């Protein structure tokens, strides 16, 4: 009961109430809103943003910002499709995309922690470079995957639920556990709260 009262007093309660009110209004305005097909579409669209948002939360908790996330997604998507078309392997394309995103994120991190560049400036620059590279590399033309099964990653279903929704749910639970029940998560909060105090406490702030 006490935990429920605490949640109702928090700022999240306002957001939840606003969401519920919006759902009620939309369900009154159009009967299609609460249909199963529309709810699945809304969940799929929201899950794609949530997957990127989970990573952004980690950056913000550390007291930094990343403006290059959208451009990173574009470059990683292009690389994934190119690998897919060359190899015909969906697994290789997905692994290549994850490695590419990891390398770009690592470079952004090194610019901030080793080169001493403000994260706003560093990621603004990488955003421009990545976006320009994506435009030049594709000649600003959409490239299509030639392996039919690849589309199932974003549009397919596992049982009644869209695959992206399941991926977002797994990531949400995993990162919640990391942030609240592991030393790494507590270190992240400490660094974002006061980097100098965390450094004096012996935490690996730059890492």
């Amino acid at each position: 009961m006490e935990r429920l009262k605490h949640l109702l007093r928090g700022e999240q309660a306002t957001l939840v109430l606003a969401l519920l009110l919006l759902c009620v209004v939309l369900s009154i305005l159009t009967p299609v809103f609460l249909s199963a097909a529309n709810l699945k579409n809304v969940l799929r669209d929201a899950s794609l943003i949530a997957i990127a948002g989970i990573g952004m939360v980690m950056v913000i908790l550390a007291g930094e910002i990343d403006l290059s996330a959208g451009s990173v997604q574009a470059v990683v998507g292009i690389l994934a499709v190119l690998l897919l078309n060359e190899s015909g392997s969906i697994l290789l394309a997905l692994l290549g995309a994850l490695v590419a995103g990891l390398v770009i994120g690592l470079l952004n991190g090194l610019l901030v922690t080793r080169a001493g560049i403000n994260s706003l400036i560093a990621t603004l620059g990488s955003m421009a470079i990545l976006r320009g590279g994506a435009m030049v590399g594709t000649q600003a033309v959409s490239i299509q995957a030639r392996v039919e099964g690849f589309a199932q990653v974003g549009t397919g279903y596992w049982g009644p639920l869209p695959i992206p929704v399941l991926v977002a749910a797994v990531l949400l639970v995993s990162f919640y556990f990391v942030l609240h029940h592991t030393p790494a998560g507590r270190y992240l909060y400490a660094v974002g709260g006061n980097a100098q105090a965390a450094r004096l406490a012996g935490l690996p702030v730059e890492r």
Side-chain angles (χ1 to χ4, degrees):
M1 182 62 71
E2 288 298 323
R3 187 172 181 82
L4 179 59
K5 291 180 179 179
H6 176 71
L7 289 175
L8 291 176
R9 287 196 298 266
E11 59 183 17
Q12 292 86 355
T14 304
L15 296 176
V16 172
L17 290 175
L19 177 62
L20 292 175
L21 179 61
L22 181 62
C23 290
V24 171
V25 171
L26 289 175
S27 62
I28 294 173
L29 293 177
T30 170
V32 181
F33 178 76
L34 289 179
S35 65
N38 185 61
L39 291 178
K40 288 179 181 179
N41 288 333
V42 171
L43 284 174
R44 181 190 287 110
D45 292 342
S47 65
L48 300 177
I49 299 173
I51 290 170
I54 290 170
M56 187 63 72
V57 164
M58 306 289 281
V59 176
I60 294 173
L61 286 179
E64 305 294 345
I65 193 67
D66 186 357
L67 300 179
S68 67
S71 298
V72 172
Q73 286 182 305
V75 170
V76 166
I78 292 169
L79 291 175
V81 173
L82 291 177
L83 278 174
L84 178 74
N85 290 340
E86 288 294 324
S87 66
S89 170
I90 296 176
L91 179 60
L92 181 60
L94 294 177
L95 289 176
L98 290 174
V99 170
L102 178 64
V103 170
I104 295 171
L106 178 61
L107 291 175
N108 279 338
L110 291 175
L111 287 174
V112 175
T113 59
R114 300 305 179 188
I117 303 174
N118 183 277
S119 60
L120 183 70
I121 303 301
T123 57
L124 182 64
S126 61
M127 177 190 72
I129 293 171
L130 293 170
R131 183 173 299 179
M135 296 288 285
V136 172
T138 61
Q139 299 298 311
V141 175
S142 175
I143 56 175
Q144 303 298 322
R146 293 197 291 266
V147 178
E148 293 183 2
F150 186 70
Q152 293 299 311
V153 177
T155 61
Y157 288 84
W158 194 68
L161 292 176
I163 292 176
V165 174
L166 295 174
V167 172
V170 170
L171 288 175
L172 182 63
V173 172
S174 301
F175 277 85
Y176 178 86
F177 177 81
V178 169
L179 288 174
H180 294 275
H181 300 283
T182 67
R186 299 184 186 279
Y187 291 171
L188 197 63
Y189 276 106
V191 170
N194 190 323
Q196 184 60 26
R199 187 176 289 106
L200 293 174
L203 300 184
V205 173
E206 283 73 19
R207 188 185 305 171

